[in-house]
Amino acid sequence: MNTGANDPIREYIVQDFLGGEDTEDLTDDFDLIESTVVNSLGLVRLISWISETYGISVDDIPLEPDVYRTLADIRNFVRQAAPATV
């Protein structure tokens, strides 16, 4: 999965949670949950986007926040759940 400028997961977080303002602080290990970039409602939006974007059934997506804590965590989950698309 691309972790550079064309990373769709990073782009989604920047657009939908940071109002399009790209920030250098949004590194692969930046804690999205603790920093409240992604709150509980945002987590639902993120899960829905992952399901639609990567074709992963919502029933197969865990609801534990730790799966979505960092960009690296999200990428790892998507890589494991939808290996053909990553």
Side-chain angles (χ1 to χ4, degrees):
M1 174 172 286
N2 189 347
T3 60
N6 295 324
D7 176 5
I9 295 170
R10 186 177 198 287
E11 289 177 18
Y12 175 74
I13 297 294
V14 169
Q15 289 302 313
D16 282 34
F17 294 95
L18 298 175
E21 292 186 32
D22 199 346
T23 174
E24 292 179 18
D25 292 339
L26 187 55
T27 60
D28 282 355
D29 61 351
F30 180 81
D31 194 320
L32 299 165
I33 306 294
E34 187 175 312
S35 67
T36 67
V37 167
V38 176
N39 59 23
S40 57
L41 181 56
L43 188 58
V44 172
R45 289 178 24 220
L46 178 60
I47 289 169
S48 176
W49 179 83
I50 289 170
S51 175
E52 291 173 23
T53 302
Y54 294 100
I56 304 168
S57 170
V58 173
D59 293 335
D60 295 333
I61 296 180
L63 301 178
E64 297 85 22
D66 283 343
V67 173
Y68 315 97
R69 189 160 295 280
T70 68
L71 290 173
D73 292 336
I74 297 167
R75 278 191 215 102
N76 287 335
F77 165 70
V78 170
R79 190 175 295 118
Q80 291 172 6
T85 64
V86 181

